[in-house]
């Protein structure tokens, strides 16, 4: 179920993996994957990767900051719901005008995050598209996934 929030951000929440993603898969070689323990102590690593990739893609300072905060929020939600000793898997796909971020972690919950939470509002305010869902995982657990899209802002006219 796809909707557009008041701030024009595309939002999709489902309990099953969507049939399409928020962006096309970029050319081979443009992907970065980070696998770390699902611990708040490691959030700075993922934020640093997000910032570095956005800088290399010529994002504005504001867009870089927005991406870092959105990645932090999504990963924080995943970590808070992760099974003990869980792993956080983050993937970045860089295209000419956008960065697609996806992350996942095993969880015991069968429900995606609430769209009424403050964290969800942060994600929708900072990104161009947000998607989250839960799928069955190994060993009776489930896998919570986030999919974010941040577009590079065009040059501001008139400045």
């Amino acid at each position: 179920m796809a909707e557009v929030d008041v701030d024009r951000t595309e939002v999709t929440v489902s309990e099953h993996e969507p049939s399409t993603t928020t962006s096309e898969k970029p050319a081979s070689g443009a992907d970065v994957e980070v696998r770390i323990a699902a611990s708040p102590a490691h959030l700075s690593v993922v934020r640093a990767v997000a910032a570095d990739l956005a800088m290399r893609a010529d994002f504005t300072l504001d867009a870089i900051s927005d991406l870092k905060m959105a990645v932090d929020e999504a990963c924080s939600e995943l970590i808070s719901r992760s099974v003990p000793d869980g792993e956080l898997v983050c993937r970045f796909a860089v295209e000419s005008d956008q960065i697609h971020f996806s992350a996942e972690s095993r969880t015991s919950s069968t429900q995606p995050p609430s769209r009424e939470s403050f964290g969800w509002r942060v994600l929708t305010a900072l990104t161009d598209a947000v998607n989250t869902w839960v799928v069955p995982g190994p060993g009776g657990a489930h896998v919570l996934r986030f999919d974010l899209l941040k577009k590079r802002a065009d040059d501001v006219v008139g400045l």
Side-chain angles (χ1 to χ4, degrees):
M1 104 179 83
E3 299 177 14
V4 176
D5 272 1
V6 177
D7 62 359
R8 310 288 301 157
T9 300
E10 178 186 329
V11 178
T12 305
V13 181
S14 67
E15 294 181 24
H16 304 288
E17 188 166 358
S19 59
T20 60
T21 60
T22 55
S23 71
E24 293 293 318
K25 179 120 173 100
S28 175
D31 295 330
V32 173
E33 182 174 288
V34 177
R35 290 177 176 264
I36 57 175
S39 166
H42 298 131
L43 282 173
S44 62
V45 172
V46 183
R47 282 193 309 264
V49 171
D52 184 68
L53 292 172
M55 281 187 281
R56 291 172 188 263
D58 292 327
F59 276 51
T60 64
L61 291 177
D62 286 341
I64 293 168
S65 180
D66 289 352
L67 179 63
K68 282 176 43 179
M69 286 189 288
V71 164
D72 185 86
E73 185 61 39
C75 289
S76 294
E77 185 69 31
L78 285 164
I79 289 168
S80 72
R81 293 168 169 254
S82 180
V83 296
D85 298 323
E87 181 179 55
L88 181 63
V89 180
C90 303
R91 294 178 186 92
F92 296 88
V94 181
E95 300 178 43
S96 62
D97 63 343
Q98 63 189 17
I99 294 179
H100 176 232
F101 171 76
S102 62
E104 64 183 45
S105 186
R106 288 182 46 214
T107 181
S108 58
S109 175
T110 60
Q111 298 297 314
S114 170
R115 292 184 59 196
E116 303 302 317
S117 70
F118 176 74
W120 186 258
R121 293 296 174 192
V122 168
L123 285 172
T124 59
L126 297 174
T127 61
D128 296 293
V130 179
N131 189 6
T132 188
W133 65 100
V134 178
V135 295
H142 293 76
V143 178
L144 174 59
R145 295 183 176 161
F146 273 89
D147 194 17
L148 309 176
L149 182 68
K150 182 65 179 170
K151 295 181 180 179
R152 186 176 62 206
D154 293 332
D155 293 331
V156 179
V157 178
L159 290 181

